[in-house]
């Protein structure tokens, strides 16, 4: 743990909080300190840009304005409103955590870190953000933005990709946080990382804590934070099938309830075949489909954090004697009522534009 200069800490707190209160963005979840609204916003903001989140947040709060509304909503309804936001396990865990609060805490979001972190989907960052922003408690909230700022201001050279480094930053924050105004302090750190202390080309000349920043004084702001590179993403090649029944309805299938994109809908997909004959054989084995399918001039690439999907599209008219359990036949109009991941939305948009559906 670094020995922190008390005078530097006080200047850092004063400058950061003053800057935040003068320059903070007008965001819908900053209208009040409601812990439920802050919880929803923090979950949405994980891995997602603010500009992207705003319309999702506003729509979500219209549909689920109170915790009871979300706690007992149908999963398909919450997945639909989350559609396109990605990382869908976030909203399923959010619902489970909110239900725990409704059922075990009388609808009152707890004020202790231990109880907060016991809730489904609530990790150290989310707990710290809710406790500090909603309840003005001096709890650290350490995410990538915050670690970048702290690495530069306090010259922390530990690799931020390692879980142990988060503990170092939490220890710094427990000492550095403004105990008189932890809400504005923590939000100021987040805002500074988003707007000024950016990953590349940080705006040091505009930074309110430049005088306290060790990296700036050493000319190391571009070199910090230290972050080891991720492993190369694995590429998976898939065939998607637009299968149309005798009533001109399209078959869609629900993904498993666990794992990647759990519970979302998609066109039936299989690992990419190496030949037409192999593809037809796979269709027959998987779904008892004997009719021929034909390739379409369409391809979509979708990048997840750890894998890449490369999807080709095939179309065919089919007459199924037995419909797989997880399948539904839906009309063009009915498709809108189901939640699809982004890659599938692209496939379906092509199908609609080309008049295939």
């Amino acid at each position: 743990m670094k020995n922190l200069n008390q005078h530097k800490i006080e200047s850092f707190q004063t400058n950061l909080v003053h800057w935040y209160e003068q320059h903070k963005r007008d965001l819908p979840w900053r209208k009040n300190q409601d812990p439920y609204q802050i919880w929803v916003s923090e979950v949405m903001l994980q891995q997602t840009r603010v500009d992207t989140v705003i319309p999702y947040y506003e729509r979500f709060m219209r549909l689920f304005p109170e915790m009871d509304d979300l706690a007992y909503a149908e999963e398909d309804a919450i997945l639909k409103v989350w559609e396109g936001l990605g990382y869908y396990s976030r909203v399923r865990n959010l619902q489970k955590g909110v239900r725990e609060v409704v059922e075990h805490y009388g609808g009152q979001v707890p004020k202790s870190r231990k109880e907060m972190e016991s809730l489904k989907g609530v990790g150290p960052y989310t707990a710290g953000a809710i406790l500090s922003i909603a309840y003005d408690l001096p709890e650290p909230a350490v995410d990538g933005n915050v670690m970048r700022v702290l690495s530069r201001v306090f010259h922390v050279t530990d690799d931020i990709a390692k879980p142990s480094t988060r503990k170092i930053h939490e220890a710094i924050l427990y000492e550095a946080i403004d105990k008189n105004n932890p809400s504005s302090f923590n939000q100021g750190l987040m805002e500074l990382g988003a707007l000024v202390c950016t990953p590349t080309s940080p705006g040091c000349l505009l930074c309110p804590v430049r005088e306290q920043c060790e990296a700036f004084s050493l000319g190391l702001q571009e070199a910090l934070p230290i972050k080891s590179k991720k492993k190369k993403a694995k590429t998976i090649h898939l065939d998607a099938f637009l299968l149309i029944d005798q009533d001109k309805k399209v078959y869609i299938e629900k993904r498993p309830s666990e794992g990647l994109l759990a519970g979302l809908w998609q066109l039936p997909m299989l690992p990419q075949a190496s030949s037409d004959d192999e593809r037809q054989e796979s269709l027959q084995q998987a779904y008892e489909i004997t009719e021929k399918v034909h390739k379409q001039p369409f391809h979509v690439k979708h990048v997840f954090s750890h894998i890449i999907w490369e999807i080709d599209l095939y179309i065919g008219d089919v007459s199924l004697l037995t419909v797989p359990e997880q399948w539904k036949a839906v009309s063009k109009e009915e498709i809108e009522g189901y939640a699809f991941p982004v890659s599938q939305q692209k496939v379906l948009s092509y199908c609609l534009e080309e008049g295939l559906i």
Side-chain angles (χ1 to χ4, degrees):
M1 171 65 192
K2 295 173 69 71
N3 292 319
L4 305 185
N5 179 284
Q6 192 58 37
H7 176 71
K8 172 181 172 175
I9 290 298
E10 290 173 0
S11 300
F12 177 61
Q13 293 170 349
T14 300
N15 293 348
L16 180 64
V17 169
H18 178 76
W19 172 83
Y20 172 72
E21 292 179 345
Q22 292 292 314
H23 296 92
K24 63 183 177 182
R25 288 171 290 181
D26 182 17
L27 301 174
W29 47 87
R30 289 180 176 163
K31 303 296 184 187
N32 57 54
Q33 289 183 282
D34 181 278
Y36 168 57
Q37 294 181 26
I38 291 165
W39 189 356
V40 171
S41 71
E42 288 298 337
V43 172
M44 286 189 169
L45 287 164
Q46 294 166 15
Q47 311 288 334
T48 312
R49 293 170 56 87
V50 167
D51 290 346
T52 301
V53 164
I54 290 172
Y56 279 95
Y57 173 83
E58 292 176 333
R59 187 162 59 247
F60 194 94
M61 295 314 301
R62 284 197 300 270
L63 289 171
F64 311 114
E66 306 292 338
M67 282 193 286
D68 281 15
D69 301 314
L70 177 60
Y72 303 108
E74 293 290 331
E75 184 178 271
D76 282 346
I78 65 169
L79 290 176
K80 182 62 182 176
V81 75
W82 203 271
E83 184 182 46
L85 200 52
Y87 301 94
Y88 293 89
S89 61
R90 291 182 296 172
V91 72
R92 282 191 294 270
N93 287 337
L94 173 62
Q95 183 186 40
K96 291 173 184 175
V98 166
R99 190 181 299 140
E100 287 179 64
V101 170
V102 169
E103 294 179 353
H104 301 297
Y105 294 95
Q108 297 296 313
V109 176
K111 293 184 178 181
S112 83
R113 179 173 279 272
K114 183 177 179 181
E115 288 175 323
M116 279 300 308
E117 290 188 20
S118 74
L119 300 174
K120 185 71 174 179
V122 176
Y125 168 77
T126 304
I130 295 169
L131 293 172
S132 61
I133 297 171
Y135 294 134
D136 279 309
L137 296 173
E139 291 286 346
V142 177
D143 67 354
N145 267 351
V146 169
M147 285 197 285
R148 182 169 61 255
V149 174
L150 296 180
S151 292
R152 290 169 175 166
V153 172
F154 296 101
H155 192 211
V156 180
T157 57
D158 298 80
D159 182 356
I160 65 169
K162 294 181 177 178
S164 58
T165 304
R166 179 182 297 275
K167 297 293 184 184
I168 295 171
H169 287 88
E170 285 180 350
I172 290 172
L173 273 188
Y174 269 118
E175 189 169 342
I177 196 168
D178 185 343
K179 294 176 176 58
N180 295 317
N181 195 348
S183 177
S184 289
F185 179 88
N186 274 353
Q187 290 183 90
L189 277 180
M190 299 168 193
E191 198 83 332
L192 191 67
L195 301 180
V196 178
C197 196
T198 50
T200 57
S201 303
C204 297
L205 296 179
L206 301 173
C207 181
V209 296
R210 184 181 65 210
E211 296 302 316
Q212 292 80 49
C213 182
E214 292 182 38
F216 178 77
S217 67
L218 296 169
L220 295 175
Q221 62 269 29
E222 298 276 3
L224 292 173
I226 304 296
K227 185 177 183 180
S228 56
K229 292 183 179 179
K230 291 182 179 179
K231 293 180 180 178
K232 187 177 179 180
K234 178 183 177 183
T235 298
I236 298 175
H237 297 272
L238 298 162
D239 291 333
F241 300 96
L242 181 67
L243 303 174
I244 303 170
D245 72 6
Q246 56 268 40
D247 297 321
K248 302 302 180 185
K249 290 189 173 184
V250 175
Y251 285 110
I252 59 175
E253 69 174 353
K254 192 167 192 177
R255 292 183 61 82
S257 58
E258 301 288 338
L260 181 66
L261 304 176
L264 295 175
W265 293 84
Q266 64 182 21
L267 294 181
M269 289 203 301
L270 292 172
Q272 190 172 86
S274 59
S275 67
D276 290 342
D277 287 344
E278 182 184 310
R279 186 171 298 103
Q280 293 298 151
E281 185 178 339
S282 295
L283 279 170
Q284 185 166 358
Q285 288 181 351
Y287 308 126
E288 299 182 6
I289 290 173
T290 57
E291 293 89 346
K292 293 284 186 184
V293 294
H294 307 282
K295 189 171 185 179
Q296 297 298 302
F298 177 80
H299 176 85
V300 64
K301 177 180 179 178
H302 188 75
V303 180
F304 297 91
S305 59
H306 58 300
I307 60 171
I308 298 170
W309 276 3
E310 299 271 7
I311 304 173
D312 288 328
L313 175 64
Y314 292 81
I315 185 172
D317 294 314
V318 295
S319 179
L320 297 182
L321 295 176
T322 304
V323 177
E325 184 181 353
Q326 296 300 318
W327 285 26
K328 281 189 178 182
V330 296
S331 66
K332 179 168 72 172
E333 293 74 24
E334 290 170 332
I335 283 176
E336 287 296 320
Y338 295 86
F340 293 88
V342 170
S343 59
Q344 291 289 314
Q345 290 178 45
K346 293 176 181 176
V347 175
L348 289 169
S349 293
Y350 168 81
C351 294
L352 289 166
E353 289 167 5
E354 295 297 315
L356 303 175
I357 300 177

